[in-house]
Amino acid sequence: MISVLFIISTYALIINYKVESVGKKYIVSSAEAPMVDAILVLGAYVFPSGTVSTMLNDRLTVGYELYEQEKAPKLLVSGDHGRKDYDEVNSMKNFLKAKGVPGKDVFMDHAGFSTYESMYRARDIFKVRKVIIVTQEYHLKRAVFVARALGLEAYGVASDKRDYGQVMGMYQLREIAARNKDFLWAKIIKPKPTYLGDAIPVFGDGKATDDQ
């Protein structure tokens, strides 16, 4: 039993290292980021009031900064809107519109239920080929790895604007399991996401994704 656990643990750490090492090669500063089709901001917790959490605030702020630097003509916000009473993406779009981003420049992916699904749908629904992904660095390495495994020319810009406290220890530990799962999904199994549907190319009008 001990030997089996040792083998499983060793395998998990090897995969974790592989995902991390590939992903971090493409993490750049805002200044170094190339021009792309879209800036993809990944979702995080939104309060019942619609106010975005601290981590999501920072992701959106960095996404907005990249848009202002004209790194891309469009923003794609991807998150969980699987229930009527929980909606990450409209809160994300409202945040960006409050900063002056026109609604036509913000596309919402209402079915970005996981990092893998967000990347898959960015490619197949929104027809993105070259992308800057924005999230905190602990998560960014996996996101970039998955995107590249699915054929996207992906770069990452980290949104760590502050110390997020003790919760980061739990997130880092959980990330090892998530990297192993997404390695399997993106490199071997490649399952379809929960929802696909008609294409909504990111080169058009973001209002096509509005539901309010």
Side-chain angles (χ1 to χ4, degrees):
M1 177 63 73
I2 293 175
S3 61
V4 172
L5 289 174
F6 176 78
I7 291 170
I8 292 172
S9 298
T10 301
Y11 174 81
L13 291 173
I14 289 170
I15 295 300
N16 178 71
Y17 175 78
K18 173 68 173 177
V19 172
E20 187 174 32
S21 61
V22 170
K24 72 180 182 182
K25 288 195 299 185
Y26 301 99
I27 294 177
V28 297
S29 68
S30 295
E32 295 169 331
M35 293 183 65
V36 296
D37 300 331
I39 299 154
L40 171 54
V41 182
L42 297 177
Y45 184 70
V46 169
F47 293 98
S49 64
T51 302
V52 301
S53 59
T54 300
M55 291 186 105
L56 186 51
N57 178 93
D58 292 350
R59 295 178 190 184
L60 290 163
T61 298
V62 171
Y64 169 73
E65 291 168 353
L66 289 162
Y67 173 83
E68 284 290 284
Q69 294 166 24
E70 299 184 344
K71 297 295 184 177
K74 304 291 182 178
L75 287 141
L76 172 58
V77 296
S78 182
D80 185 350
H81 188 194
R83 310 189 311 269
K84 288 185 178 180
D85 62 346
Y86 186 72
D87 180 357
E88 292 178 359
V89 291
N90 275 288
S91 292
M92 294 167 78
K93 184 163 186 172
N94 290 337
F95 181 101
L96 293 165
K97 286 172 67 177
K99 286 186 171 291
V101 180
K104 67 181 179 62
D105 288 347
V106 185
F107 284 73
M108 292 185 288
D109 176 7
H110 298 267
F113 301 132
S114 68
T115 303
Y116 173 81
E117 292 188 88
S118 292
M119 301 309 149
Y120 197 119
R121 286 174 54 81
R123 183 192 68 183
D124 285 27
I125 299 297
F126 297 98
K127 302 301 180 182
V128 175
R129 292 294 174 263
K130 189 174 182 180
V131 64
I132 297 170
I133 303 166
V134 179
T135 183
Q136 278 72 26
E137 187 173 0
Y138 82 94
H139 179 209
L140 187 57
K141 296 167 187 174
R142 172 165 57 97
V144 171
F145 172 88
V146 170
R148 288 201 162 250
L150 293 178
L152 296 172
E153 183 182 343
Y155 303 87
V157 174
S159 60
D160 300 81
K161 285 186 167 290
R162 67 192 82 199
D163 180 353
Y164 299 103
Q166 294 183 344
V167 70
M168 289 305 299
M170 180 185 70
Y171 286 171
Q172 294 280 7
L173 188 61
R174 191 172 64 184
E175 190 64 15
I176 296 174
R179 288 173 183 168
N180 275 263
K181 183 197 72 127
D182 278 357
F183 178 88
L184 186 66
W185 256 230
K187 296 291 286 187
I188 301 171
I189 300 177
K190 299 187 178 181
K192 291 183 179 180
T194 306
Y195 298 109
L196 278 173
D198 296 334
I200 311 172
V202 78
F203 309 102
D205 189 333
K207 293 178 183 177
T209 62
D210 288 355
D211 64 345
Q212 294 184 351

